[in-house]
Amino acid sequence: MSDPGEKSGRKNLAVGRTLPRLRIALAAALCICLICAVFYASPAGTLIIDGAYDQLLALRTSHDPPDTAPKDCPVAIIAIDDETLNYSQLAVPELFQHQYYTRIIKALSEAGAKAVVINQILPRGDSDLSNPEKVHQWFREVSSINDRMPVLSGMMWLPHRALLPNDIYLERLNPEHFGFINLERDVDAKVRRQITRWPDCQGRIGCRSLAALAALAVNPALELPEGQSFINFDPRPDAVPQYSFIDVYDMSGKKRFDYFVNNFYGKLVIIGEINSLNRGLYPTPFSEHTNQGDTSTEIMAQSVLTLLSGREVRVMGPVSRFILVFILTLISLLPTMLGRSDGRTGFGHWLPSLMMVPVLLLSVFAFIRYVHLPVTMTLTALLIAQTFCSSLRFRELRDAGRTSQTALGLYLNPEIAEAIIQRPELLARAGERKEMTVFFSDLVDFTSLAEKTSPEALVDIVNRYFEYMEPSIERFGGVLDKFGGDSIMAFWGSPLAPEPRHALAGCLSALSQKEALTRLNSHLAAEGHSPLSALMGLNSGPMVVGNIGAENRFNYTVMGDAVNLASRLVSANKVYETSIIISETTAMEASEGVELRTLDRVRVRGREESLLIFELMAKKGGLTRDQIRARDLYESALGHYFRREFQKALALFEETLSILPEDGPADLMAVRCRDYMRIPPPANWNGINYV
């Protein structure tokens, strides 16, 4: 039997391990939700939310079409269309023609229309009331009609005040029959939402939107949503019946009572502009596909239908939305955070990804029921949670395999150790011939530095130097072969770390090391130490790569003539007073991503063939105008130099020095030109310099 005290101890130990990880899960879920909340409050986030709404709206419309036939629609539109504007008296829609509206409104009232909405602002200035007789007739007719059929019209809400019609309209008509006609645009300029009431509005006028007043005129007991709500657009071309204003006017003159009863009885009638002058002013989620529904009159009709149907899309408040996303994110994190600490968590770390599908399906189902869940925010939070879980699992797996990696201490590069763990057969001593790039570097005057520095300080400086250089090799996919005293050897393109563009990767790593050395020198100077200077060389070509060494101790390295050449190029920097020299083959493969200068044609000891060498100057586009000019002059001078035109070459080398007085290669070549002008080279001279 097990000891009760032992069981209690194991339980306390488990709780002690679980609580910290639970706190981390809570903190991670909170941070993820805060990041998502901040992003989706920005214009870019709002644009994504609105795009998701458009997709859900299209999906719901295709699978759940409206159940109301157009002929049964409770709203009808009398459109001031292009045909109406062709009528001379109505050619300018901004001028309110009282007598035409009076006749139509009277006919609609007699036919039993529920209400009439004039989707515009009635005349504002006294100069607009040009025909007093027609105006007075308007007031007489509309005042008597208002008792049995409301006549509603618009006003505009400006910042902190309302733009109202002429006072005479407010005095003679019911002020509460005026509503705001403002349309709210989203970040992408589309109209998706409506406001039923303006909160900072006050005074003798009503503070509701014209669409809200219209809906209340049809159903006075209607409960309207407060604040903003989505418009439930019906994309059908004939969703709301439309009639031309001029046709309706003609029918009213012909006393066609049956026409008005058949088309407008019991309906809310909206009179407004739908013509080529205002088409496209207010795009909606469907307008770009249907080429309609993008005028204020059509949008008002859709708003009224949304309010009357009670099917406005409901949106969760910011607090409820945050809590929902937080709970789902926390649930997705728990299996990873509370699982085994040795990395063996099964499929639990994939839970955030697995939750995305049901969240998406639930969001679609809820939207069909007119509830817009925070689908974009939730999916983003789950995506971040998945990244977090994967990173944590990777770290745990790495920690679990740390003992195995420690046993591979003969390798300096962690990528090699990881590859050996995955593929133990690589431990076999063997070599493979492959096109690769190899890198060498040495510190300048290291012997002098060692003489002037204590052994402890020297070790500290060298270790810091290696610490600054190593990340630049690793970041560009290189394999760090060895640290040797003050030297570094690395290579790119090996089977363990394949890199198709190995020459460019090696060059970028060398430039990165040069920048890292500058940072290190600033720290050394602050500590009173002399700055370090490194010389680097790179070459690309065929070499043998593999495990080289004794049976019990070996190194993953490269060998071959191409490797030896790279080593020789390091010392060539001393001749030309440069920092990084690369071979011709490396230059050809890396030229697209770096700035180079042709230095010279040389032959190194132990090789019969000559080659062009290049100075690696900067990343592509990283040179100043003076550096570009000096490089071009130098290379032009070098061409004259190889053609034995030493006087022309000297002039260009000296011009290079006038731009960059400290340029070592130009100074060296100018000295050579003067020597050859004084004592010409032999006839078989080919411009090759021995290094």
Side-chain angles (χ1 to χ4, degrees), residues 362-380:
L362 178 63
S363 299
V364 173
F365 177 79
F367 197 85
I368 293 175
R369 302 299 176 184
Y370 304 98
V371 176
H372 188 21
L373 297 177
V375 56
T376 52
M377 184 174 173
T378 305
L379 292 178
T380 303

Side-chain angles (χ1 to χ4, degrees), residues 53 60 225 228-232 306 309-317 321 363 365-374:
Y53 171 81
R60 189 190 68 201
Q228 282 191 345
S229 61
F230 280 103
I231 302 172
N232 185 25
T306 300
S309 66
R311 292 182 174 180
E312 64 273 3
V313 179
R314 296 180 295 281
V315 181
M316 299 178 68
R321 187 164 57 241
S363 299
F365 177 79
F367 197 85
I368 293 175
R369 302 299 176 184
Y370 304 98
V371 176
H372 188 21
L373 297 177

Side-chain angles (χ1 to χ4, degrees), residues 80 85 90-97 101 120 273 275 277:
I80 302 175
L85 295 182
L90 296 169
V92 183
E94 289 80 7
L95 297 179
F96 189 78
Q97 304 290 349
Y101 286 86
Q120 68 179 93
E273 291 186 60
N275 51 61
L277 297 178

Side-chain angles (χ1 to χ4, degrees), residues 393-525:
R393 176 170 169 79
F394 172 78
R395 193 191 72 178
E396 291 177 341
L397 288 172
R398 183 193 62 189
D399 293 344
R402 184 165 292 172
T403 303
S404 299
Q405 292 188 21
T406 303
L408 298 173
L410 62 151
Y411 289 100
L412 291 175
N413 192 290
E415 281 77 10
I416 298 177
E418 183 66 26
I420 294 298
I421 291 176
Q422 302 297 329
R423 299 169 59 193
E425 67 273 11
L426 293 176
L427 286 171
R429 287 184 297 163
E432 176 182 348
R433 187 176 179 83
K434 203 172 187 302
E435 287 282 338
M436 296 169 56
T437 295
V438 65
F439 163 91
F440 286 91
S441 73
D442 279 318
L443 288 177
V444 178
D445 293 331
F446 181 72
T447 303
S448 175
L449 175 66
E451 292 174 353
K452 296 183 294 184
T453 309
S454 67
E456 294 80 8
L458 181 64
V459 170
D460 178 66
I461 291 174
V462 172
N463 283 339
R464 290 167 67 184
Y465 168 68
F466 290 150
E467 288 173 1
Y468 270 75
M469 299 302 108
E470 190 270 339
S472 296
I473 297 172
E474 185 176 340
R475 179 155 57 96
F476 290 96
V479 174
L480 180 57
D481 188 314
K482 62 176 67 71
F483 293 134
D486 64 326
S487 65
I488 299 174
M489 177 181 176
F491 48 87
W492 286 262
S494 70
L496 286 182
E499 175 53 66
R501 303 169 70 184
H502 49 81
L504 178 58
C507 289
L508 294 176
S509 173
L511 292 171
S512 178
Q513 290 180 65
K514 188 176 179 180
E515 295 173 358
L517 184 59
T518 301
R519 295 194 300 271
L520 173 60
N521 281 331
S522 65
H523 294 297
L524 293 176

Side-chain angles (χ1 to χ4, degrees), residues 201-217:
C201 164
Q202 56 186 356
R204 57 176 173 162
I205 59 173
C207 295
R208 294 198 178 277
S209 68
L210 188 55
L213 291 179
L216 289 172

